[in-house]
Amino acid sequence: MENKTRCAWCEKDDLYRDYHDNEWGIPVYDDDKLFEFLVLETFQAGLSWHTILKKRDDFRRAFDQFDYKKVAQYDEDKIQELLQDAGIIRNKLKVRGTVSNAIAFIEVQKEFGSFSIYIWGFTGGKPIANNVKKISDVKAKTPLSDEISKDLKKRGFKFVGSTVVYAHMQATGMVNDHVEDCWKRK
């Protein structure tokens, strides 16, 4: 890849650089993509994002291309199948939480018209541009991620603590946490 100044966290390898350059922090308003990131962030809790990115295609395969309508219908046989799938993180609570989240996701869509309208409603529909001079300025959570987390939990979502929610906000461009000298900042 060409020589660009990037956020320091992504300089581990090409997988991270590609994710940083082409996805992280770009506003996502599509429900399908928002659900994908919700699933990935759920499984990332307690692990590195790099681990999840390396397994992303396996997650995509295992969870029916992140089709939340299908995931919401998973029965115990499918859950047990997922728990045997070496390509994904085989955490029973996270697998079950993903099924619960798909059900809650559909309920939010019914109430708001789309999950996007709901989640972006917390920011007025626009990304929040944070003033990030260096990577250590980036917070793990904020009062807004606390608020969203609380509301998601009230709606039946699992594994949506404030830190997971803030990571989701960063990934889906609800907040811009690129450092000031990163080429993606603008």
Side-chain angles (χ1 to χ4, degrees):
M1 293 190 158
E2 64 273 8
N3 191 15
K4 294 179 179 177
T5 302
R6 295 178 176 87
C7 300
W9 64 262
C10 76
E11 293 296 356
K12 180 176 186 163
D13 62 14
D14 286 342
L15 178 66
Y16 249 14
R17 281 185 285 275
D18 182 62
Y19 172 70
H20 171 274
D21 290 358
N22 297 303
E23 291 188 86
W24 192 74
I26 295 173
V28 174
Y29 296 95
D30 175 74
D31 274 10
D32 294 337
K33 198 68 172 173
L34 287 167
F35 183 73
E36 175 180 351
F37 276 112
L38 184 63
V39 171
L40 296 174
E41 295 294 350
T42 295
F43 278 91
Q44 187 271 328
L47 302 169
S48 79
W49 185 243
H50 193 262
T51 298
I52 300 305
L53 284 179
K54 288 192 309 189
K55 293 179 171 282
R56 190 178 196 176
D57 288 338
D58 289 318
F59 277 107
R60 185 173 284 119
R61 173 194 46 75
F63 286 97
D64 288 298
Q65 310 303 310
F66 300 112
D67 182 335
Y68 51 86
K69 291 174 187 157
K70 288 182 180 178
V71 174
Q73 299 298 317
Y74 285 179
D75 60 12
E76 189 59 32
D77 288 343
K78 178 63 175 180
I79 290 170
Q80 290 306 315
E81 176 187 317
L82 289 167
L83 292 173
Q84 300 306 312
D85 190 331
I88 66 169
I89 308 300
R90 295 177 287 183
N91 179 300
K92 178 174 50 174
L93 295 176
K94 290 179 181 182
V95 169
R96 291 184 186 284
T98 298
V99 177
S100 295
N101 287 352
I103 294 166
F105 192 90
I106 291 168
E107 290 303 311
V108 167
Q109 286 180 316
K110 288 177 186 173
E111 183 177 345
F112 290 88
S114 74
F115 186 81
S116 180
I117 290 169
Y118 161 74
I119 200 73
W120 280 95
F122 287 97
T123 67
K126 297 178 182 172
I128 297 167
N130 289 323
N131 184 18
V132 182
K133 295 194 183 310
K134 56 191 181 306
I135 200 69
S136 60
D137 292 339
V138 177
K139 308 286 187 243
K141 62 182 186 164
T142 64
L144 181 57
S145 67
D146 292 343
E147 177 186 345
I148 296 170
S149 170
K150 183 177 179 182
D151 196 71
L152 286 167
K153 288 175 183 176
K154 181 180 79 175
R155 296 174 183 283
F157 286 83
K158 311 285 185 213
F159 287 94
V160 288
S162 189
T163 302
V164 167
V165 168
Y166 195 70
H168 187 266
M169 293 170 69
Q170 290 172 311
T172 61
M174 292 177 68
V175 294
N176 182 343
D177 276 346
H178 288 282
V179 295
E180 67 180 8
D181 62 345
C182 175
W183 76 277
K184 291 291 289 189
R185 178 71 191 165
K186 293 179 176 73

